[in-house]
């Protein structure tokens, strides 16, 4: 503030806040509001399936092979692993991802993963478009 002044500092903080907010909102929308994830309505206080199965059905991964995006997002493109193992460092998510996919295949549980950011974004736009009609 001493070097650039109050107004420039406030504008910089405003721009940083807006950019960070849009980035975070986009990541979480691509992880949960896409075509293949399930939106559950709970009429009672009990889930129909186990907590972990619910996490798999309501969460999607995207761009898990993109190392640059993984680094920029701190592993949040591995949303399923983030939900299932919240206390494990994100650098282990790629290895865990393979284990989770194999376990889902063995147990017959459908997991969702979009190959690229663009694929997930297009799916999100289609969901928003269908919700608007």
């Amino acid at each position: 503030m001493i070097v650039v002044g109050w107004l420039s500092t406030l504008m910089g903080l405003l721009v940083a806040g807006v950019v960070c907010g849009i980035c975070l909102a986009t990541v979480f929308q691509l992880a949960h509001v896409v075509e293949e994830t399930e939106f559950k309505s709970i009429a009672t206080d009990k889930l129909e399936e186990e907590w972990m199965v619910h996490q798999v059905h309501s969460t999607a991964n995207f761009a898990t092979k993109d190392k640059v995006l993984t680094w920029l997002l701190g592993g949040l493109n591995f949303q399923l692993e983030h939900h299932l193992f919240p206390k494990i460092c994100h650098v282990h998510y790629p290895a865990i991802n393979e284990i989770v996919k194999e376990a889902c295949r063995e147990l017959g549980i459908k997991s969702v993963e979009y190959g690229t950011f663009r694929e997930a974004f297009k799916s999100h736009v289609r969901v928003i478009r269908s919700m608007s009609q």
Side-chain angles (χ1 to χ4, degrees), residues 89-106:
C89 180
H90 73 276
V91 299
H92 301 294
Y93 288 170
I96 295 170
N97 176 260
E98 295 302 321
I99 296 167
V100 169
K101 285 195 288 192
E102 180 61 31
C104 286
R105 274 192 296 274
E106 287 177 12

Side-chain angles (χ1 to χ4, degrees), residues 5-123:
W6 283 95
L7 185 59
S8 295
T9 300
L10 289 175
M11 291 303 294
L13 289 172
L14 178 67
V15 168
V18 168
V19 169
C20 287
I22 289 172
C23 288
L24 280 173
T26 301
V27 168
F28 293 122
Q29 292 297 307
L30 297 185
H32 297 287
V33 186
V34 289
E35 292 170 306
E36 296 183 56
T37 57
E38 295 182 11
F39 299 97
K40 306 248 175 162
S41 168
I42 301 174
T44 67
D45 60 348
K46 298 206 181 228
L47 287 172
E48 296 171 12
E49 68 264 331
E50 295 178 1
W51 172 83
M52 287 185 133
V53 174
H54 174 72
Q55 294 301 314
V56 173
H57 288 166
S58 62
T59 307
N61 286 341
F62 60 91
T64 58
K65 304 291 186 222
D66 188 333
K67 292 181 180 188
V68 173
L69 188 64
T70 297
W71 179 78
L72 286 170
L73 298 178
L76 287 177
N77 52 326
F78 288 89
Q79 243 340 259
L80 181 53
E81 290 71 24
H82 171 70
H83 279 257
L84 296 177
F85 308 102
K87 295 188 180 199
I88 292 180
C89 180
H90 73 276
V91 299
H92 301 294
Y93 288 170
I96 295 170
N97 176 260
E98 295 302 321
I99 296 167
V100 169
K101 285 195 288 192
E102 180 61 31
C104 286
R105 274 192 296 274
E106 287 177 12
L107 297 170
I109 301 169
K110 181 185 173 199
S111 64
V112 180
E113 185 171 314
Y114 291 92
T116 64
F117 180 91
R118 173 177 262 151
E119 288 175 27
F121 193 83
K122 285 179 180 180
S123 178

